[in-house]
Amino acid sequence: MSFFPGNDPEPGDRTAADAIETLIIPRTSDIGNLEVRRALPTAKRRLVGPFIFFDRMGPAILRPSQGIDVRPHPHIGLSTVTYLFDGQIRHRDSLGTEMVIRPGDVNLMTAGRGIVHSERSPEELRKEPLPISGLQTWLALPDHLEEIDPAFANTGVAELPSMSENGVDVRVVMGTFHGAKSAVQQHAETLYVDIRLAPGKCIQIPGTAAEERAIYTLEGPVEVAGETFPADRLLAFRSGDEIIISAPEGAHFMLFGGAALPSQRYIWWNFVSSSKDRIEQAKEEWRSGRFDIVPGDEEEFIPLPEG
């Protein structure tokens, strides 16, 4: 298999330069002890395929006794995908699931008609400095699946297809890429790929990989269409174009996307829906305590935001 069958675009090539449809510089916020960069949603771009939310967590080292403590909170109309590069997070949800998320595993929690979960650093690890680095993304559910029953699935890193050739390392997290198919079951056509390039190496992103495609740069600069982009940039590509990504100094990035949703999605706090009325209903359900509780984490919760 060859990851790079084509030629690198020449700088100044108009077709190549136009291939980048949207450039997003994520906004940075601090959630307690952790810096988070949010690339989606923004005013420039709401979705890439089903991806309606894209957060980069860390990298950071949490001091002893510190940790991540995201109290129980609700979701509807989406699937959350947690994917770590370093560190561990304990997931609990209202289905009774308790799972320690580890690097390379894929945790897919489908909210559907409603779920509540919490995310915390494991107590038993808080005596030592805790590294944390990863991504949390949300996938909007297709119209006919927005109200399905909630569910949780964990796929271990050993179950994900990985490929390595001549300084190009690829792990297919979701979907199919260069003939390799992930075992993770999703509800819409989805592409999610972890890619590392050694210095001076390139990779081809076929125009047929997905209807909508983007990358998020994690480490090292990448070159696309004769331009250089640093870490922590989201580049959304024009549909149908072959894209060549090169890394003169080596790079790590995520490729993601999928089929465009056929209808509009609204997002408010942790709720996603094709209906504004459904979001209002979810607000009232959380405000009045009609969501289920999280076994093992019943004492705290995040109140509904004002406004």
Side-chain angles (χ1 to χ4, degrees):
M1 172 181 55
S2 175
F3 288 113
F4 182 47
N7 296 319
D8 202 359
E10 294 294 329
D13 181 325
R14 178 174 297 276
T15 300
D18 288 346
I20 299 172
E21 191 172 76
T22 312
L23 167 64
I24 295 171
I25 301 174
R27 62 188 186 276
T28 302
S29 59
D30 194 300
I31 56 167
N33 307 312
L34 181 64
E35 192 174 75
V36 172
R37 297 172 180 85
R38 181 156 301 164
L40 290 176
T42 69
K44 284 186 174 182
R45 184 98 186 206
R46 304 293 289 174
L47 297 102
V48 178
F51 287 83
I52 195 169
F53 180 95
F54 198 109
D55 263 9
R56 167 69 163 125
M57 304 179 291
I61 302 291
L62 305 178
R63 295 194 299 271
S65 79
Q66 289 186 333
I68 297 171
D69 282 299
V70 181
R71 295 166 291 161
H73 57 281
H75 291 284
I76 66 163
L78 57 86
S79 294
T80 67
V81 183
T82 304
Y83 183 70
L84 298 180
F85 306 115
D86 200 0
Q88 299 181 34
I89 298 175
R90 174 169 279 118
H91 163 98
R92 290 187 176 98
D93 63 42
S94 51
L95 299 175
T97 308
E98 181 175 342
M99 169 73 66
V100 175
I101 306 170
R102 293 182 169 85
D105 294 349
V106 183
N107 280 256
L108 181 71
M109 184 188 75
T110 298
R113 58 180 169 78
I115 199 168
V116 182
H117 76 136
S118 64
E119 298 158 295
R120 300 181 186 268
S121 299
E123 286 293 335
E124 62 271 21
L125 301 181
R126 296 193 188 205
K127 295 179 181 180
E128 304 293 334
L130 294 176
I132 187 67
S133 177
L135 298 169
Q136 186 161 79
T137 56
W138 298 354
L139 308 175
L141 291 172
D143 294 24
H144 66 291
L145 297 177
E146 288 185 287
E147 296 296 319
I148 60 174
D149 291 340
F152 178 87
N154 171 270
T155 304
V157 62
E159 301 175 64
L160 302 177
S162 60
M163 303 165 283
S164 183
E165 180 182 316
N166 192 29
V168 178
D169 297 306
V170 172
R171 180 184 296 147
V172 184
V173 179
M174 303 178 78
T176 301
F177 185 68
H178 278 280
K181 184 176 181 179
S182 170
V184 177
Q185 298 296 311
Q186 65 275 352
H187 298 288
E189 184 183 319
T190 305
L191 179 68
Y192 202 22
V193 186
D194 185 344
I195 300 174
R196 297 176 187 263
L197 302 180
K201 299 302 179 180
C202 304
I203 190 168
Q204 175 211 38
I205 311 299
T208 56
E211 180 183 358
E212 297 186 349
R213 300 156 302 151
I215 64 169
Y216 186 92
T217 58
L218 295 160
E219 297 175 20
V222 300
E223 289 187 1
V224 181
E227 295 187 62
T228 301
F229 301 91
D232 294 308
R233 298 292 185 269
L234 188 155
L235 309 178
F237 303 121
R238 188 172 61 187
S239 180
D241 286 353
E242 175 187 289
I243 304 295
I244 305 298
I245 300 173
S246 59
E249 302 172 24
H252 181 200
F253 57 92
M254 297 297 292
L255 167 67
F256 66 100
L261 293 177
S263 62
Q264 184 175 1
R265 285 297 178 276
Y266 302 99
I267 181 169
W268 188 91
W269 192 40
N270 300 313
F271 305 139
V272 171
S273 180
S274 59
S275 164
K276 290 183 178 180
D277 289 343
R278 180 65 180 92
I279 289 178
E280 292 302 316
Q281 178 188 341
K283 289 182 186 180
E284 181 55 34
E285 288 173 351
W286 184 245
R287 185 184 292 113
S288 59
R290 281 182 278 161
F291 275 84
D292 292 335
I293 63 171
V294 176
D297 203 344
E298 305 97 334
E299 301 301 318
E300 298 182 300
F301 66 93
I302 300 177
L304 190 76
E306 297 297 327

